Amino acid sequence: MINVLNVAQTGLKASQTQVENVMNNLANETTPGYKKRVVNISELDHSDSRATGRGVIVDDVTRVTNDYMYQNLIKENSKLTAYEQENSMLNDIEAIFAETDDVGLSADINRYFQSIENLRTSPQYTIYKNELKNDANELLNSLKQAYSEIEAKEKEAFGTTEDTVAKVNELLNTIGDISAKIINSNDTPLDLLDKRDALEQEISEYIDVEISRDVGYELKIGGVTAVRFDTNVHILELSENYIAQKDIYAKENLIPYESSLVDPTTWNGNNQEQQTIQIFGAATSDVDFLGTTLAGTSGDSASDIATAIAGDASIITNWNTNNPNNEIDTIAVDGSNNEKLVITYKATEGDVAVLAQASSNGIDFDMSQETIKGTTDGISYILDDKTTVSLTYGDTVSAPIGTTPETYENITIDASNVVRGLVAKINKTTDTENKITTYNGPYELDKDGQKILTNNPLHSDYDPLDPNKDRYLIIESNTEGEAGQFNGEILVYDNNTLNSDGDVVNNFVEKHSLISQAGVNDIHLEIFDEEVYMTGGTLKPLIDNIKTESGENKFTKYKEQLDMFAQKLSDYSSGYIEHSDQTYTFGVNASQESGESGKMIGINLFTGSDVDSLEFYEAGINVLTQDKLDYLADIQWNEDINFDGTNENNSSFSEYFQSIRAGIATDREAVRFNEESQAVIKESMQSNYDKIVKVDKDTEMVELIKYQAAYAANAKMITMVDEMLQTILGMKR
């Protein structure tokens, strides 16, 4: 009978604990992060001879959870918050490009071209000139405003990233503190486990996490351990590495590197200008030619006059004295026509204007005819389509000597020292020295931290016997990161590079595709110097859009598209070539590559290679002729403008800008679709998970009835045994 009392007493205690647990579940039904508790019971060990057992014992109280579902839930939550953050960022960008019929960049573009059309009808009308000036400035300001607003969003994203990283570290440290309390507790405090889970879910909103509870507690962020051995916390760090743009002009697939600027076998001087003059008539008295009187030529025939001119050295001497910019080298009689002179100018003179038709005492000298155009080999560096630094073969330049700073010597430019000469001239040009620095080969830092040419033979053609030897051109931005990006072009004039018409073709020199370095902001997350690669959380789109080469940087993408628009606007508004069939070669770049650059007509209404450097030259409006206005008006109808350099998406200015806006809308719509789809996935997983871990009132009420009944049954058994014992004791008395 006593055994029955003991068994009923254990049942009573177990039922009481279960009832208390149900009441605790119901009380915390709406508590955030609370997971349903269950009482785990088991039969008491059979420690004696009783066949019916010794009753029941409460083992412990545990939380209801599912680690597999939980890990997938926080993973999907990270994906959702990433889409939400990206959608918010794209919404801000879309707002920058929002337009009405009369307000926005599209309207500014249309007004600008309409102003050109208006001025075209009356080139001297002051009102139309002012209208063009105002509309051009409005277009310029709108471009810069859009660009600056995108940059402002970049800065805002960076600030949000810093704040979020700080928040994640705060949560990690709190997790470490809670884990310490858990392991120092005599039992497992379920409320602390709930709090730690809540912190894990909060971190998953910012960055993707993985939780392991197999051996101790471990939390990984982006695959990198952030918490190990329960309490060892490694904080998340925001790494900033700003790399300066570096353009390197070296030959591809050739080591050690060597200069790719000019071909020394052809870039070797000048083509001498050559002109012919046909002579007619007979001399009635002594003849004058180019300011010199030919004594004793009265009565001479045209052929005699030609011979006399070719044999009189004083003609060349007198001419060169009076015309130092058009000096003649030789005058000879044409071998196939003894009444024709061949005048050859000195190599340094380049292209010389033809001589006008003249007559002297019965002799007529026809207008000279150019048979060989005088050209000089040269090279130009063009920075941001605004500043040009040029060298020609034979120029004298003051260049630094070897690796010794501030020591110079004069050099005469040829193919063997063109790199050294270009370095010296670019570095001394006011408009370039504050933005870029050029080097003759790679540099190293001396003991004072100054950049000097390296003597390492693995990285240059350094020759200790000839320290001034040309290596290869390096042009580096003085400002690190995206902020220091520049657009540089090198144009080479080589008399031996001709097109099918025999005209000299200007060649653009490409920089080395592998060793040149773009100006980038390398911003990423690290834990113990190991980079964290994210798949979700708000930090993923934030980092993607402030790291230049993330592959997902929308800010950079849209800025580059605006830069392409600005570059083409500048290029097309700076110069052109008009052909006899009334068609055009549009822009300075195409004109320079055409082989007919000498025919290019300059305008320079806009200058610059990107939005930042774009400028409008107001005074240029006053020199716009009818021909130039006809060309400018034709630009807006050109639907074959190669903005991105691929020749696959050619369009007009208006169409291109509309494609930018459409691209932004498409990007956002894709993200919104992903966000909505991800929300459905996450909600479905959350619902299934909640069914397992959340308190269900109906289920708990059923459990309460069951445990109350068990409690009542055990209590009744105890009462019954008590009554039996009282009866037995009464019988004895």
Side-chain angles (χ1 to χ4, degrees), residues 183-246:
I183 62 176
N184 291 328
S185 176
N186 293 328
D187 54 8
T188 303
L190 302 183
D191 61 322
L192 293 181
L193 293 177
D194 282 347
K195 289 179 180 179
R196 190 169 67 180
D197 285 357
L199 293 172
E200 292 166 357
Q201 292 184 54
E202 187 175 356
I203 290 179
S204 75
E205 295 178 3
Y206 305 125
I207 195 167
D208 51 298
V209 297
E210 299 173 50
I211 313 297
S212 174
R213 298 178 176 86
D214 296 336
V215 180
Y217 178 83
E218 183 179 74
L219 182 148
K220 290 184 177 181
I221 291 179
V224 182
T225 301
V227 180
R228 62 186 303 188
F229 306 132
D230 294 289
T231 60
N232 190 354
V233 177
H234 300 163
I235 65 171
L236 189 65
E237 295 181 328
L238 183 62
S239 174
E240 301 175 56
N241 185 21
Y242 298 96
I243 303 171
Q245 179 177 338
K246 186 183 292 185

Side-chain angles (χ1 to χ4, degrees), residues 492-518:
V492 173
Y493 313 91
D494 190 329
N495 292 307
N496 290 279
T497 307
L498 308 176
N499 62 15
S500 57
D501 296 327
D503 294 319
V504 175
V505 178
N506 302 325
N507 292 323
F508 283 98
V509 181
E510 298 291 335
K511 56 190 176 186
H512 198 290
S513 60
L514 298 179
I515 59 176
S516 292
Q517 171 66 56

Side-chain angles (χ1 to χ4, degrees), residues 532-557:
V532 174
Y533 296 96
M534 298 163 287
T535 58
T538 59
L539 279 171
K540 176 173 170 43
L542 286 168
I543 291 292
D544 282 346
N545 284 281
I546 60 177
K547 180 178 181 178
T548 305
E549 297 183 330
S550 67
E552 300 291 337
N553 194 323
K554 298 294 194 300
F555 291 144
T556 297
K557 173 185 174 182

Side-chain angles (χ1 to χ4, degrees), residues 405-612:
E406 304 304 326
T407 306
Y408 295 86
E409 65 179 357
N410 288 333
I411 61 173
T412 301
I413 298 300
D414 58 30
S416 69
N417 60 20
V418 64
V419 173
R420 189 177 168 212
L422 200 56
V423 166
K425 194 162 184 181
I426 292 175
N427 287 342
K428 287 185 176 181
T429 301
T430 303
D431 291 336
T432 62
E433 63 182 354
N434 293 328
K435 188 162 189 176
I436 58 173
T437 301
T438 57
Y439 303 92
N440 179 14
Y443 58 78
E444 61 186 16
L445 300 179
D446 64 12
K447 62 181 181 180
D448 298 321
Q450 299 297 315
K451 295 176 180 178
I452 61 172
L453 293 180
T454 179
N455 298 337
N456 187 342
L458 295 178
H459 299 289
S460 71
D461 284 336
Y462 179 76
D463 184 350
L465 299 178
D466 185 11
N468 299 320
K469 179 180 179 181
D470 262 18
R471 306 178 191 188
Y472 52 90
L473 182 65
I474 296 178
I475 303 177
E476 185 176 44
S477 174
N478 294 336
T479 304
E480 296 177 337
E482 281 187 22
Q485 288 180 338
F486 62 90
N487 184 6
E489 294 178 325
I490 291 181
L491 194 62
V492 173
Y493 313 91
D494 190 329
N495 292 307
N496 290 279
T497 307
L498 308 176
N499 62 15
S500 57
D501 296 327
D503 294 319
V504 175
V505 178
N506 302 325
N507 292 323
F508 283 98
V509 181
E510 298 291 335
K511 56 190 176 186
H512 198 290
S513 60
L514 298 179
I515 59 176
S516 292
Q517 171 66 56
V520 298
N521 299 343
D522 180 16
I523 302 173
H524 59 269
L525 300 178
E526 291 181 351
I527 295 178
F528 265 20
D529 297 328
E530 183 177 354
E531 185 169 354
V532 174
Y533 296 96
M534 298 163 287
T535 58
T538 59
L539 279 171
K540 176 173 170 43
L542 286 168
I543 291 292
D544 282 346
N545 284 281
I546 60 177
K547 180 178 181 178
T548 305
E549 297 183 330
S550 67
E552 300 291 337
N553 194 323
K554 298 294 194 300
F555 291 144
T556 297
K557 173 185 174 182
Y558 304 142
K559 288 197 301 181
E560 285 178 348
Q561 289 175 334
L562 289 177
D563 282 337
M564 286 183 236
F565 181 96
Q567 193 278 327
K568 282 300 177 184
L569 179 64
S570 170
D571 181 43
Y572 275 42
S573 301
S574 293
Y576 68 99
I577 296 174
E578 184 174 4
H579 304 289
S580 57
D581 59 356
Q582 295 184 327
T583 60
Y584 300 105
T585 296
F586 289 89
V588 171
N589 290 340
S591 297
Q592 289 176 330
E593 293 177 328
S594 69
E596 299 180 297
S597 58
K599 300 178 182 178
M600 186 175 71
I601 301 169
I603 303 176
N604 297 321
L605 205 56
F606 281 97
T607 59
S609 62
D610 52 26
V611 174
D612 182 57

